[in-house]
Amino acid sequence: MVDRYERLVADLRAEMPRFRIVRKDRSRLHRAIHIVLIGVTFGRMRSYLDSYQTTIGKTVYVTSDWDDWSADQRYVTLRHEAVHLRQFRKLTLPVMAVLYILVPLPMGLAYFRARFEMEAYAETIRAAAEVWGKSLPGSASYRKYVIDQFMGASYGWMWPFRAQLERWYDRILATIDVVDV
Ligand SMILES: [Zn+2]
């Protein structure tokens, strides 16, 4: 039996022939990013290699425990990363990288990063509702978890306006018409 994760991987391969999934800890680029992040955060950011799934260009880089995740969890995460794959395809890697990392600020007010992530987290919310029922993204704790991604350290404090993020979240949720699973 093919689960929804495997089906999504096959669909993405059909859509983007050079799409691939690579383990982050086996990538020289990501080991280098890891070392840079330790440097710029004075040692506080040590979890990059084993905490975040990261998409660059046509590649989704995953943590070493990826294969131990449930197929549903991998599916929901890959739905988020698929949005980034399409953003890279639309904007090209150099444009996407500059906008994502630097514009207008690398930390504190990262407008483009927040916009790219809003688009991707909207997909996370929709996929979570599809897999676990709308009551999960509809819960206060899930809403807080998503909004904290924007306001906290994980993405460099990319967007500080909580009320705006809450309105965005509720707007996405309101467009989902799955009742429950
Ligand atoms: Zn993302």
Side-chain angles (χ1 to χ4, degrees), residues 5 66-75 132:
Y5 169 73
W66 179 249
D67 292 333
D68 303 328
W69 290 23
S70 73
D72 283 347
Q73 190 62 59
R74 276 178 282 140
Y75 169 79
W132 296 297

Side-chain angles (χ1 to χ4, degrees), residues 108-111 114 118 150-151 156-162 164-165:
L109 203 73
Y111 172 81
M118 277 184 201
F150 289 81
M151 301 191 64
W157 300 272
M158 63 184 159
W159 202 244
F161 307 113
R162 181 176 295 279
Q164 188 200 349
L165 289 164

Side-chain angles (χ1 to χ4, degrees), residues 15-86:
E15 187 184 332
M16 289 170 254
R18 290 173 58 209
F19 155 67
R20 62 200 181 116
I21 296 175
V22 172
R23 263 180 62 166
K24 222 173 176 181
D25 61 346
R26 294 186 182 149
S27 149
R28 203 179 299 172
L29 170 67
H30 285 276
R31 285 199 305 266
I33 292 172
H34 175 61
I35 289 162
V36 168
L37 283 172
I38 289 176
V40 299
T41 62
F42 306 103
R44 280 184 295 168
M45 172 61 148
R46 292 181 173 277
S47 53
Y48 177 74
L49 280 185
D50 38 48
S51 299
Y52 305 99
Q53 320 305 331
T54 310
T55 294
I56 299 178
K58 299 174 182 70
T59 308
V60 176
Y61 293 92
V62 298
T63 51
S64 54
D65 60 352
W66 179 249
D67 292 333
D68 303 328
W69 290 23
S70 73
D72 283 347
Q73 190 62 59
R74 276 178 282 140
Y75 169 79
V76 171
T77 301
L78 191 57
R79 284 272 300 268
H80 174 112
E81 300 306 328
V83 172
H84 292 315
L85 288 168
R86 294 183 189 114

Side-chain angles (χ1 to χ4, degrees), residues 83-126:
V83 172
H84 292 315
L85 288 168
R86 294 183 189 114
Q87 289 166 342
F88 273 104
R89 183 177 59 186
K90 184 173 158 197
L91 294 169
T92 73
L93 194 148
V95 172
M96 176 80 182
V98 167
L99 292 177
Y100 190 96
I101 298 168
L102 295 172
V103 181
L105 293 175
M107 284 191 193
L109 203 73
Y111 172 81
F112 279 102
R113 189 184 315 151
R115 269 196 49 180
F116 294 137
E117 290 302 341
M118 277 184 201
E119 199 182 347
Y121 274 103
E123 195 69 353
T124 303
I125 295 164
R126 286 189 285 266

